[in-house]
mmCIF file with all atom_site columns, all heavy atoms in Angstrom:
data_model
loop_
_atom_site.group_PDB
_atom_site.id
_atom_site.type_symbol
_atom_site.label_atom_id
_atom_site.label_alt_id
_atom_site.label_comp_id
_atom_site.label_asym_id
_atom_site.label_entity_id
_atom_site.label_seq_id
_atom_site.pdbx_PDB_ins_code
_atom_site.Cartn_x
_atom_site.Cartn_y
_atom_site.Cartn_z
_atom_site.occupancy
_atom_site.B_iso_or_equiv
_atom_site.pdbx_formal_charge
_atom_site.auth_seq_id
_atom_site.auth_comp_id
_atom_site.auth_asym_id
_atom_site.auth_atom_id
_atom_site.pdbx_PDB_model_num
ATOM 1  N N   . GLU A 1 286 ? -41.710 12.542 -5.364 1.00 0.00 ? 407 GLU A N   1
ATOM 2  C CA  . GLU A 1 286 ? -42.777 13.494 -5.580 1.00 0.00 ? 407 GLU A CA  1
ATOM 3  C C   . GLU A 1 286 ? -42.472 14.776 -4.794 1.00 0.00 ? 407 GLU A C   1
ATOM 4  O O   . GLU A 1 286 ? -41.710 14.780 -3.869 1.00 0.00 ? 407 GLU A O   1
ATOM 5  C CB  . GLU A 1 286 ? -44.107 12.917 -5.174 1.00 0.00 ? 407 GLU A CB  1
ATOM 6  C CG  . GLU A 1 286 ? -44.540 11.814 -6.109 1.00 0.00 ? 407 GLU A CG  1
ATOM 7  C CD  . GLU A 1 286 ? -45.867 11.166 -5.720 1.00 0.00 ? 407 GLU A CD  1
ATOM 8  O OE1 . GLU A 1 286 ? -46.667 11.802 -5.008 1.00 0.00 ? 407 GLU A OE1 1
ATOM 9  O OE2 . GLU A 1 286 ? -46.094 10.003 -6.127 1.00 0.00 ? 407 GLU A OE2 1
ATOM 10 N N   . GLU A 1 287 ? -43.140 15.835 -5.204 1.00 0.00 ? 408 GLU A N   1
ATOM 11 C CA  . GLU A 1 287 ? -42.833 17.137 -4.600 1.00 0.00 ? 408 GLU A CA  1
ATOM 12 C C   . GLU A 1 287 ? -43.378 17.244 -3.174 1.00 0.00 ? 408 GLU A C   1
ATOM 13 O O   . GLU A 1 287 ? -42.646 17.373 -2.235 1.00 0.00 ? 408 GLU A O   1
ATOM 14 C CB  . GLU A 1 287 ? -43.376 18.268 -5.453 1.00 0.00 ? 408 GLU A CB  1
ATOM 15 C CG  . GLU A 1 287 ? -42.413 18.682 -6.551 1.00 0.00 ? 408 GLU A CG  1
ATOM 16 C CD  . GLU A 1 287 ? -41.021 19.036 -6.004 1.00 0.00 ? 408 GLU A CD  1
ATOM 17 O OE1 . GLU A 1 287 ? -40.955 19.821 -5.039 1.00 0.00 ? 408 GLU A OE1 1
ATOM 18 O OE2 . GLU A 1 287 ? -40.029 18.521 -6.533 1.00 0.00 ? 408 GLU A OE2 1
ATOM 19 N N   . GLY A 1 288 ? -44.704 17.222 -3.073 1.00 0.00 ? 409 GLY A N   1
ATOM 20 C CA  . GLY A 1 288 ? -45.317 17.592 -1.782 1.00 0.00 ? 409 GLY A CA  1
ATOM 21 C C   . GLY A 1 288 ? -46.059 16.475 -1.094 1.00 0.00 ? 409 GLY A C   1
ATOM 22 O O   . GLY A 1 288 ? -47.177 16.656 -0.660 1.00 0.00 ? 409 GLY A O   1
ATOM 23 N N   . LEU A 1 289 ? -45.441 15.301 -0.983 1.00 0.00 ? 410 LEU A N   1
ATOM 24 C CA  . LEU A 1 289 ? -46.161 14.186 -0.375 1.00 0.00 ? 410 LEU A CA  1
ATOM 25 C C   . LEU A 1 289 ? -45.849 14.143 1.121  1.00 0.00 ? 410 LEU A C   1
ATOM 26 O O   . LEU A 1 289 ? -44.754 14.396 1.572  1.00 0.00 ? 410 LEU A O   1
ATOM 27 C CB  . LEU A 1 289 ? -45.735 12.887 -1.042 1.00 0.00 ? 410 LEU A CB  1
ATOM 28 C CG  . LEU A 1 289 ? -46.520 11.644 -0.673 1.00 0.00 ? 410 LEU A CG  1
ATOM 29 C CD1 . LEU A 1 289 ? -47.948 11.733 -1.207 1.00 0.00 ? 410 LEU A CD1 1
ATOM 30 C CD2 . LEU A 1 289 ? -45.838 10.374 -1.172 1.00 0.00 ? 410 LEU A CD2 1
ATOM 31 N N   . VAL A 1 290 ? -46.916 13.780 1.870  1.00 0.00 ? 411 VAL A N   1
ATOM 32 C CA  . VAL A 1 290 ? -46.730 13.604 3.313  1.00 0.00 ? 411 VAL A CA  1
ATOM 33 C C   . VAL A 1 290 ? -46.701 12.081 3.594  1.00 0.00 ? 411 VAL A C   1
ATOM 34 O O   . VAL A 1 290 ? -47.494 11.333 3.022  1.00 0.00 ? 411 VAL A O   1
ATOM 35 C CB  . VAL A 1 290 ? -47.871 14.267 4.107  1.00 0.00 ? 411 VAL A CB  1
ATOM 36 C CG1 . VAL A 1 290 ? -47.784 13.943 5.600  1.00 0.00 ? 411 VAL A CG1 1
ATOM 37 C CG2 . VAL A 1 290 ? -47.807 15.802 3.911  1.00 0.00 ? 411 VAL A CG2 1
ATOM 38 N N   . VAL A 1 291 ? -45.774 11.656 4.461  1.00 0.00 ? 412 VAL A N   1
ATOM 39 C CA  . VAL A 1 291 ? -45.790 10.244 4.879  1.00 0.00 ? 412 VAL A CA  1
ATOM 40 C C   . VAL A 1 291 ? -46.193 10.197 6.331  1.00 0.00 ? 412 VAL A C   1
ATOM 41 O O   . VAL A 1 291 ? -45.568 10.914 7.142  1.00 0.00 ? 412 VAL A O   1
ATOM 42 C CB  . VAL A 1 291 ? -44.385 9.587  4.709  1.00 0.00 ? 412 VAL A CB  1
ATOM 43 C CG1 . VAL A 1 291 ? -44.375 8.202  5.293  1.00 0.00 ? 412 VAL A CG1 1
ATOM 44 C CG2 . VAL A 1 291 ? -43.985 9.521  3.248  1.00 0.00 ? 412 VAL A CG2 1
ATOM 45 N N   . ALA A 1 292 ? -47.215 9.421  6.640  1.00 0.00 ? 413 ALA A N   1
ATOM 46 C CA  . ALA A 1 292 ? -47.530 9.171  8.035  1.00 0.00 ? 413 ALA A CA  1
ATOM 47 C C   . ALA A 1 292 ? -46.833 7.843  8.373  1.00 0.00 ? 413 ALA A C   1
ATOM 48 O O   . ALA A 1 292 ? -47.010 6.878  7.653  1.00 0.00 ? 413 ALA A O   1
ATOM 49 C CB  . ALA A 1 292 ? -49.035 9.042  8.254  1.00 0.00 ? 413 ALA A CB  1
ATOM 50 N N   . ALA A 1 293 ? -46.042 7.859  9.403  1.00 0.00 ? 414 ALA A N   1
ATOM 51 C CA  . ALA A 1 293 ? -45.166 6.723  9.623  1.00 0.00 ? 414 ALA A CA  1
ATOM 52 C C   . ALA A 1 293 ? -44.892 6.408  11.074 1.00 0.00 ? 414 ALA A C   1
ATOM 53 O O   . ALA A 1 293 ? -45.025 7.254  11.930 1.00 0.00 ? 414 ALA A O   1
ATOM 54 C CB  . ALA A 1 293 ? -43.826 6.981  8.928  1.00 0.00 ? 414 ALA A CB  1
ATOM 55 N N   . THR A 1 294 ? -44.521 5.161  11.309 1.00 0.00 ? 415 THR A N   1
ATOM 56 C CA  . THR A 1 294 ? -43.944 4.797  12.597 1.00 0.00 ? 415 THR A CA  1
ATOM 57 C C   . THR A 1 294 ? -42.444 5.065  12.481 1.00 0.00 ? 415 THR A C   1
ATOM 58 O O   . THR A 1 294 ? -41.955 5.418  11.416 1.00 0.00 ? 415 THR A O   1
ATOM 59 C CB  . THR A 1 294 ? -44.158 3.322  12.936 1.00 0.00 ? 415 THR A CB  1
ATOM 60 O OG1 . THR A 1 294 ? -43.535 2.545  11.899 1.00 0.00 ? 415 THR A OG1 1
ATOM 61 C CG2 . THR A 1 294 ? -45.628 2.965  13.031 1.00 0.00 ? 415 THR A CG2 1
ATOM 62 N N   . VAL A 1 295 ? -41.713 4.826  13.571 1.00 0.00 ? 416 VAL A N   1
ATOM 63 C CA  . VAL A 1 295 ? -40.276 5.111  13.523 1.00 0.00 ? 416 VAL A CA  1
ATOM 64 C C   . VAL A 1 295 ? -39.554 4.201  12.534 1.00 0.00 ? 416 VAL A C   1
ATOM 65 O O   . VAL A 1 295 ? -38.400 4.409  12.215 1.00 0.00 ? 416 VAL A O   1
ATOM 66 C CB  . VAL A 1 295 ? -39.589 4.968  14.896 1.00 0.00 ? 416 VAL A CB  1
ATOM 67 C CG1 . VAL A 1 295 ? -40.019 6.099  15.791 1.00 0.00 ? 416 VAL A CG1 1
ATOM 68 C CG2 . VAL A 1 295 ? -39.892 3.620  15.532 1.00 0.00 ? 416 VAL A CG2 1
ATOM 69 N N   . ALA A 1 296 ? -40.260 3.201  11.999 1.00 0.00 ? 417 ALA A N   1
ATOM 70 C CA  . ALA A 1 296 ? -39.667 2.330  10.975 1.00 0.00 ? 417 ALA A CA  1
ATOM 71 C C   . ALA A 1 296 ? -39.246 3.131  9.752  1.00 0.00 ? 417 ALA A C   1
ATOM 72 O O   . ALA A 1 296 ? -38.384 2.714  9.008  1.00 0.00 ? 417 ALA A O   1
ATOM 73 C CB  . ALA A 1 296 ? -40.659 1.250  10.555 1.00 0.00 ? 417 ALA A CB  1
ATOM 74 N N   . PHE A 1 297 ? -39.842 4.305  9.579  1.00 0.00 ? 418 PHE A N   1
ATOM 75 C CA  . PHE A 1 297 ? -39.524 5.081  8.407  1.00 0.00 ? 418 PHE A CA  1
ATOM 76 C C   . PHE A 1 297 ? -38.423 6.113  8.664  1.00 0.00 ? 418 PHE A C   1
ATOM 77 O O   . PHE A 1 297 ? -38.483 6.820  9.672  1.00 0.00 ? 418 PHE A O   1
ATOM 78 C CB  . PHE A 1 297 ? -40.784 5.881  7.954  1.00 0.00 ? 418 PHE A CB  1
ATOM 79 C CG  . PHE A 1 297 ? -40.580 6.663  6.713  1.00 0.00 ? 418 PHE A CG  1
ATOM 80 C CD1 . PHE A 1 297 ? -40.519 6.034  5.472  1.00 0.00 ? 418 PHE A CD1 1
ATOM 81 C CD2 . PHE A 1 297 ? -40.447 8.052  6.748  1.00 0.00 ? 418 PHE A CD2 1
ATOM 82 C CE1 . PHE A 1 297 ? -40.348 6.748  4.293  1.00 0.00 ? 418 PHE A CE1 1
ATOM 83 C CE2 . PHE A 1 297 ? -40.269 8.766  5.569  1.00 0.00 ? 418 PHE A CE2 1
ATOM 84 C CZ  . PHE A 1 297 ? -40.211 8.132  4.345  1.00 0.00 ? 418 PHE A CZ  1
ATOM 85 N N   . GLY A 1 298 ? -37.470 6.180  7.781  1.00 0.00 ? 419 GLY A N   1
ATOM 86 C CA  . GLY A 1 298 ? -36.612 7.336  7.780  1.00 0.00 ? 419 GLY A CA  1
ATOM 87 C C   . GLY A 1 298 ? -35.129 7.069  7.941  1.00 0.00 ? 419 GLY A C   1
ATOM 88 O O   . GLY A 1 298 ? -34.333 7.881  7.530  1.00 0.00 ? 419 GLY A O   1
#
Side-chain angles (χ1 to χ4, degrees):
E407 292 178 22
E408 274 307 309
L410 190 68
V411 173
V412 174
T415 59
V416 289
F418 183 75

